[in-house]
Amino acid sequence: MTDSNPERPAAQKPFRRLLLTGAAGNLGQQLRGALAAWADVVRVTDIAPLGDVADHEEASIVDLADEAAVHALLEGVDAVIHLGGISVEAPFEDLLEANIRGLYNLYSAAQKQGVKRIVYASSNHAVGFHPTTSVLDADAPLRPDSLYGVTKCFGESLSRYYFDRFGLETVCLRIGSSFEQPKNPRMLVTYLSFRDFIELVRCSLFTNRVGHAIVYGVSDNRTKWVDNTRAAFLGFRPQDSSIEFEHLFPVTAPTAELDDPTQHFQGGPFVLAGPMEPKR
Ligand code: NAI
Ligand code: 15L
C-alpha cells in the first residue's frame, strides 16, 4: 500500500506519516529503525518513556484508553502499526482499558481520519488452546488460552468489522515468540526473529489490497504448528530459524509432563495463567 499521490515528488518515501503504537516496547524498539526508510515522518507513541527521538520521529505519550488523545494521535496518519497494549495475561480491568477500550479508540479514530490500513499485533494466544498436535491455518477456529488471548480475538473481530463496514484494511499478525532468542523449548516452535518480524510488518504494509488478513508470525523453525498458505499473497518468507538455538534446550525423554496442559496446548504457560485477580 504505497502513496500514489501524483502531486508528491517521486523521491519521497512510500508513506508520508506512519503511526507506531507501543514504540517503547520490546518490538517497537526493534521496528523504529526500519521505519525511517518507509515514511517521511514516524509518529511514535507509548504510555512509557520513548527514549531518544530521531529527526524523522514525532513523539507522543498517550494512554490508548484516552479517547480524545487517541483521536488527536491519528490526525494526518496514512497507516498504523499497532503494537501498544498489555502483552501478557493481566487482570481483566487492566486488559479492558488497554486492549479493549484502547483498540476501539484506535479503530474509531482511524476510520474518522480516513486511515487506509492498520497492521495489528495479535498473538498466538488467540488460538493457544489448540493442541500442539494441530497445524493451524488462518481459518482455524479462535481458541483463546487466556483473557489476554480473548482481547486479541476482540481485536481480530473489531478489525474484521471495520473492514467489512468501512473498508479499513487490517493485517492481523498472530505473533509467536519474538525475542532476541527462544527462552524455553516451546519457543523453539513459536520463535520469530526480530529480522523476520520487521519483514512481516514490511510485507503487511506494502502489499496491495490485503483486505482483512490473518498471518502467523513465526520464523522458519524445524517444528511447525502453523501454516501461512492462506496468507501467501503477503509474500512473507522468513529468513531465520530457531535451529541455531536448539542446543540450548536438549531433547529429554518423555516424562509425566505429558499430562501437563502447558505442554499439551500451543499457548504453553498462558493456558493456566488466568484469570488474574485485580490489583488492590
Ligand atoms: P511490550 O509489552 O514490550 O510492548 C507493549 C507496549 O505497549 C509497552 O511499551 C507498553 O508501555 C505499551 N502499552 C501498554 N499499555 C498501554 C496503554 N494503555 N497505552 C499506550 N501504550 C501502552 O510487548 P512487545 O513484545 O513489544 O509486543 C508488542 C505487541 O505484540 C503487543 O501487542 C503484544 O501483545 C504483541 N505480541 C508480542 C509477542 C512477542 O513475542 N513479543 C507475541 C505475540 C504478540
Ligand atoms: C505473547 O503474546 C506475548 O506478548 C509475549 O510476551 C510472549 O509471551 C509470546 O506471546 C509467547 O507466546 O511466547
Side-chain angles (χ1 to χ4, degrees), residues 21-30 45-50 60-66 70 73 82-88 94 97-99 102 120-125 148 151-152 173-179 183 187 190-192 194 197 217 270:
T21 72
N26 164 46
L27 294 181
Q29 291 182 52
Q30 294 300 321
T45 185
D46 203 293
I47 201 171
L50 286 155
S60 193
I61 300 292
V62 165
D63 183 343
L64 291 161
D66 180 340
V70 172
L73 204 54
H82 182 55
L83 307 181
I86 294 175
S87 60
V88 290
D94 299 352
E97 293 305 311
N99 292 17
Y120 168 57
S122 181
S123 171
N124 70 88
H125 297 291
Y148 163 68
T151 70
K152 294 300 185 182
L173 313 180
R174 286 188 185 159
I175 301 168
S177 305
S178 196
F179 300 102
K183 299 176 182 178
M187 288 192 189
T190 54
Y191 174 68
L192 173 68
F194 289 145
F197 166 71
F270 279 65

Side-chain angles (χ1 to χ4, degrees), residues 2 6 11 35 39 67 78 81 106 121 132 134 149 158 162 201-202 264 275:
T2 53
L35 296 183
E67 182 182 1
D78 303 319
I81 303 148
L106 184 86
T132 56
S134 298
L158 187 75
Y162 269 83
V201 174
R202 191 192 67 77
H264 259 303

